[in-house]
């Protein structure tokens, strides 16, 4: 990746600003009594005050409540709670008691949650501090829309461009220093897409590894909750609080705050050529992928080619499954009050009414087959590597170009099959836009994948850089 030396120095200086620290760095600062939860909230508040009017990352912010919560937290009294005092945000399709859950839709502007989602409850128990609820694409589908009651989030690297989605505001908040981590949802790549576009980490674990109870559904068989953060070390820190199974939480907690034990030397990395075969990807995306393969080989990793089904099969199957399940959940409300929704949502979810029962059954059979084939292909490697996006984010006001380019990506296979995957930031393009690559693994190998990403970061092959001021 190419970049300007002066710009690099400016970003390096910005990286020392506490608002851009990773959650892991903030945790260490709390323990060393070099920083307090109140100061962490103020750091986020400063960025929100400065940038929210331009970036539109939030639908709701409650800094008064966050400051009150910070004042009550004694980090030294919570030694087992690694997230204690750390400010975070949630995508606004995740319930928090007494907060609205709008899903960025006029149709839900008055819906107030009467109890916490499982993940919100877990983060409350962990003593993390909720800053606010993030903007998204309406009902978590479709792309950025300009015909909704709230503006779409914008890319912090270039506010004229879209930031990916549908967990758009969550990624923007983390990338721009407004929250130390955020949770989003991923049904077809919706955590990994904005992570790639905004230059941060986006991790989607194995299906049901994080509870979706209290999350507004889009597609029940593809919906995942995922983590957006600034360091691979933040992944075990957060997953140690929110993983659904106690055994997983304990394993992540053991991995958090320790020197990575995984090594790139001897790691078997499978390259999935079929996810980009025949695709006219941007040359800088392809260059980044080839550079990563070369760097991994130089670090002692074993590079293999993985024989996976073609990307087109995953995409066609995902469309049938997701559109049908989305319409099954949202269709009655949409049909009753179509003017309450944006046109992009009507177009996307409306396709579900056209899928026949036979087509849906066949798509579910194909989903099971593709899951078995991809999982089997990945059993012989430690992790796999592919492109994430094929193109860079386009201008947000060019709706035709968004329609034509938004789905040019290789993230769908991991959402459709429920296998773990992550987008990692690997550098900047000649235009100064983030480049992300995708790593994945076989089902249930989430912790091994996260450990590998920690080793990758320690080797200097990926990492977060603050966007320009």
């Amino acid at each position: 990746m190419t970049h300007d030396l002066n710009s690099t120095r400016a970003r390096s200086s910005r990286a020392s600003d506490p608002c851009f620290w990773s959650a892991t760095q903030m945790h260490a600062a709390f323990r060393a009594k070099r920083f307090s939860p109140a100061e962490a909230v103020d750091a986020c508040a400063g960025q929100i005050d400065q940038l929210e009017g331009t970036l539109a990352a939030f639908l709701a912010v409650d800094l008064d409540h966050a400051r009150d919560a910070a004042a009550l937290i004694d980090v030294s009294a919570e030694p087992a709670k690694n997230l204690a005092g750390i400010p975070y945000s949630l995508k606004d399709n995740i319930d928090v008691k007494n907060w609205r859950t709008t899903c960025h839709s006029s149709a839900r502007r008055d819906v107030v949650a009467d109890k916490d989602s499982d993940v919100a409850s877990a983060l409350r128990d962990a003593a993390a501090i909720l800053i606010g609820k993030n903007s998204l694409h309406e009902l978590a589908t479709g792309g950025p829309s300009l015909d909704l009651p709230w503006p779409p989030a914008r890319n912090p690297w270039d506010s004229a461009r879209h930031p990916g989605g549908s967990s758009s505001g969550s990624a923007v908040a983390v990338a721009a220093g407004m929250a130390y981590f955020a949770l989003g949802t991923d049904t077809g790549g919706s955590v990994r897409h904005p992570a790639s576009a905004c230059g941060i980490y986006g991790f989607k674990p194995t299906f049901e590894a994080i509870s979706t109870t209290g999350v507004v559904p889009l597609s029940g068989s593809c919906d995942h909750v995922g983590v957006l953060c600034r360091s691979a070390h933040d992944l075990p820190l957060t997953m140690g609080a929110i993983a659904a199974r106690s055994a997983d939480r304990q394993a992540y907690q053991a991995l958090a705050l320790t020197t990575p034990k995984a090594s790139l030397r001897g790691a078997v990395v499978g390259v999935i050529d079929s996810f980009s075969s025949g695709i006219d990807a941007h040359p800088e995306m392809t260059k980044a992928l080839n550079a990563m393969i070369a760097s991994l080989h130089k670090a002692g990793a074993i590079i293999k080619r993985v024989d996976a089904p073609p990307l087109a099969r995953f995409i066609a199957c995902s469309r049938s499954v997701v559109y049908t399940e989305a319409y099954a959940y949202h269709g009655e409300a949409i049909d009753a009050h179509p003017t309450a929704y944006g046109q992009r949502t009507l177009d996307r979810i409306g396709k579900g009414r056209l899928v026949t029962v036979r087509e849906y059954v066949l798509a579910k059979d194909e989903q099971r087959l593709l899951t078995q084939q991809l999982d089997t292909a990945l059993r012989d490697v430690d992790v796999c590597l592919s492109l994430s996006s094929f193109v860079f984010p386009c201008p947000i006001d060019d709706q035709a170009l968004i329609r034509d380019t938004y789905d040019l990506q290789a993230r769908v296979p991991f959402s459709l099959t429920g296998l773990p995957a992550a987008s990692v930031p690997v550098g900047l393009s000649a235009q100064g836009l983030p480049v992300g690559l995708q790593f994945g693994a076989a089902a249930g190998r989430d912790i091994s994948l996260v450990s590998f990403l920690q080793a990758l970061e320690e080797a200097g092959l990926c990492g977060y850089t603050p966007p320009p001021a």
Side-chain angles (χ1 to χ4, degrees):
M1 299 295 99
T2 60
H3 50 266
D4 175 77
L5 181 59
N6 290 329
S7 296
T8 300
R9 287 171 178 161
R11 285 191 294 271
S12 177
S13 176
R14 282 168 63 77
S16 64
D17 190 317
C19 72
F20 297 119
W21 290 355
S22 68
T24 303
Q25 289 174 303
M26 185 57 68
H27 170 87
F30 287 168
R31 298 299 177 189
K33 299 187 185 301
R34 293 189 293 109
F35 219 70
S36 70
E39 290 173 309
V41 170
D42 285 342
C44 293
Q47 290 297 100
I48 292 170
D49 289 344
Q50 178 182 350
L51 298 173
E52 176 60 14
T54 299
L55 299 182
F58 287 89
L59 294 178
V61 174
D62 192 343
L63 292 173
D64 289 339
H65 182 270
R67 289 187 172 105
D68 289 345
L72 296 174
I73 292 175
D74 179 359
V75 175
S76 63
E78 305 280 10
K81 295 183 178 181
N82 292 333
L83 295 180
I86 296 179
Y88 75 98
S89 58
L90 288 176
K91 186 176 183 178
D92 194 28
N93 61 345
I94 301 174
D95 283 346
V96 178
K97 186 176 181 180
N98 296 330
W99 288 64
R100 291 190 301 171
T101 308
T102 70
C103 298
H104 210 123
S105 178
S106 178
R108 295 180 55 91
R109 65 164 67 237
D110 297 321
V111 175
V112 177
D114 59 5
K115 62 180 180 179
D116 281 338
S117 59
D118 283 356
V119 288
S121 177
L123 289 170
R124 192 186 300 275
D125 289 344
I129 298 175
L130 179 63
I131 287 281
K133 304 287 291 292
N134 294 123
S135 54
L136 61 151
H137 300 335
E138 187 177 31
L139 303 184
T141 188
S145 299
L146 304 176
D147 58 352
L148 301 176
W150 303 278
R154 291 175 176 266
N155 197 303
W157 290 86
D158 180 352
S159 60
R161 297 174 185 262
H162 75 73
S166 64
S167 304
S168 50
S170 297
V172 172
V174 173
M178 300 174 174
Y180 288 93
F181 71 93
L183 299 190
T185 58
D186 190 313
T187 304
S190 293
V191 161
R192 291 160 288 146
H193 185 193
S196 294
C198 295
I200 61 173
Y201 293 81
F203 173 60
K204 179 205 76 65
T206 296
F207 185 64
E208 295 184 332
I210 304 176
S211 171
T212 56
T213 298
V215 179
V216 178
L218 181 63
S219 169
S221 66
C222 296
D223 287 346
H224 302 71
V225 172
V227 178
L228 295 130
C229 58
R230 299 188 194 125
S231 169
H233 297 283
D234 293 351
L235 295 173
L237 200 74
T238 52
M239 290 295 296
I242 64 174
R245 296 174 61 245
S246 60
D248 288 343
R249 290 195 300 274
Q250 292 168 6
Y252 281 116
Q253 288 164 5
L255 185 61
L257 308 175
T258 61
T259 301
K261 297 177 182 177
S263 171
L264 300 181
R265 180 167 298 279
V268 182
V269 180
V271 179
I272 308 181
D273 293 322
S274 62
F275 285 2
S276 54
S277 177
I279 300 294
D280 186 21
H282 193 286
E284 292 193 78
M285 299 292 190
T286 304
K287 181 180 178 181
L289 177 63
N290 292 334
M292 178 61 73
I293 293 170
S295 295
L296 287 169
H297 178 72
K298 184 177 180 180
I302 300 167
I303 307 299
K304 293 182 64 173
R305 299 290 163 172
V306 172
D307 184 18
L311 180 64
R313 279 182 62 190
F314 292 96
I315 291 175
C317 181
S318 177
R319 284 174 177 165
S320 294
V321 171
V322 172
Y323 291 157
T324 304
E325 294 180 355
Y327 185 74
Y329 185 84
H330 295 287
E332 184 176 353
I334 287 175
D335 290 344
H337 304 284
T339 58
Y341 298 88
Q343 189 58 50
R344 194 178 292 277
T345 301
L346 296 176
D347 292 343
R348 286 265 181 147
I349 294 182
K351 293 177 181 178
R353 69 166 65 88
L354 304 177
V355 181
T356 67
V357 172
R358 179 178 182 276
E359 288 170 335
Y360 177 67
V361 171
L362 290 175
K364 293 297 291 182
D365 288 342
E366 173 80 335
Q367 182 183 21
R368 285 187 285 270
L369 178 60
L370 288 170
T371 299
Q372 179 184 9
Q373 290 176 335
L374 183 58
D375 189 56
T376 298
L378 298 186
R379 288 290 159 184
D380 294 331
V381 300
D382 295 313
V383 298
C384 65
L385 168 64
S386 72
L387 294 175
S388 177
S389 294
F390 300 147
V391 295
F392 291 98
C394 69
I396 198 168
D397 58 358
D398 192 333
Q399 294 295 295
L401 192 56
I402 287 174
R403 184 186 62 244
D404 293 341
T405 63
Y406 196 80
D407 292 326
L408 297 180
Q409 46 97 350
R411 294 175 289 267
V412 161
F414 292 94
S415 298
L416 180 71
T417 62
L419 275 57
S423 174
V424 301
V426 298
L428 301 177
S429 73
Q431 288 185 286
L433 296 174
V435 178
L437 294 176
Q438 179 173 243
F439 286 88
R445 293 183 178 173
D446 307 45
I447 293 168
S448 295
L449 172 59
V450 169
S451 182
F452 177 88
L453 297 181
Q454 288 181 298
L456 196 72
E457 185 177 285
E458 290 296 314
L461 298 184
C462 61
Y464 163 76
T465 299

